[in-house]
Amino acid sequence: MIIEMSAGLIRGLGTVVVFVAFVGLTLWVFNRKRTPEFAEARLLPFADEPQPETISTPETRSTRP
């Protein structure tokens, strides 16, 4: 039996592959085991910002010699 690879068959197989990839990605993203990993990744855009310094009381200095 010879299977003829028509354009419709190729498009159908492509649709099945994309659908399986979508379902797999959806299950991977919404897996509860990955919640801590994604919580850490959510803060990555702020990783290069300088940390605020601790608030200290300003020292009063005299400008007189």
Side-chain angles (χ1 to χ4, degrees):
M1 182 172 140
I2 297 174
I3 298 175
E4 189 174 322
M5 296 294 279
S6 65
L9 180 63
I10 293 172
R11 287 179 182 161
L13 290 174
T15 301
V16 169
V17 168
V18 170
F19 178 72
V20 169
F22 175 76
V23 169
L25 185 64
T26 303
L27 291 174
W28 179 73
V29 167
F30 290 107
N31 189 354
R32 292 195 188 271
K33 293 179 188 176
R34 302 235 180 256
T35 302
E37 183 179 333
F38 288 139
E40 182 180 339
R42 201 173 18 233
L43 298 175
L44 282 177
F46 306 109
D48 60 347
E49 292 182 3
Q51 296 293 326
E53 295 182 21
T54 58
I55 300 174
S56 60
T57 57
E59 295 179 17
T60 310
R61 292 185 168 180
S62 175
T63 56
R64 295 183 183 174

